[in-house]
Amino acid sequence: VFSFFSIMIVVFVYTLPYWIPFKKVADVQPSAPGVTAAGPLPGTVTKEKLMSSGHELPEDYTCPLCCLPIALPAAQHSKFQPCCMKTVCNGCTHASRKRGMGK
């Protein structure tokens, strides 16, 4: 006749593999030769830093002549000049035509 404790020991022994976390050989990935670790994680991002980032315009939206940002949509406020392969704002195009260039 089995006692309560002997049944509990048998149940514990049979369920022990489910309680202990183990890694199978297939789950462990070997490290690649010559690859170093990624390094330390970056610090936390503050709310001020997050809200102030992303306001920079790429170089495509800056006039190379006056160095001012071109208003968006850039296609309406600028013109592509095939002679220099640059996108120039309408103000610089107007100024150059006023001076007698580009007629």
Side-chain angles (χ1 to χ4, degrees):
V1 182
F2 296 108
S3 68
F4 175 77
F5 291 110
S6 63
I7 294 173
M8 290 305 294
I9 290 174
V10 170
V11 169
F12 177 77
V13 170
Y14 281 119
T15 59
L16 188 62
Y18 298 109
W19 295 2
I20 300 173
F22 64 94
K23 293 183 178 179
K24 297 179 184 176
V25 176
D27 293 341
V28 180
Q29 189 175 22
S31 61
V35 177
T36 59
L41 293 174
T44 59
V45 178
T46 62
K47 184 177 180 182
E48 181 180 341
K49 192 176 192 181
L50 180 65
M51 297 306 282
S52 65
S53 67
H55 298 289
E56 299 85 17
L57 287 173
E59 286 186 27
D60 296 342
Y61 297 112
T62 306
C63 178
L65 300 178
C66 63
C67 298
L68 293 174
I70 299 172
L72 296 176
Q76 292 179 358
H77 300 283
S78 64
K79 191 172 185 182
F80 181 76
Q81 301 295 330
C83 57
C84 59
M85 302 296 289
K86 302 278 184 186
T87 302
V88 181
C89 69
N90 287 342
C92 290
T93 305
H94 177 71
S96 67
R97 286 192 179 145
K98 233 178 141 180
R99 291 189 184 124
M101 298 186 299
K103 286 188 177 183

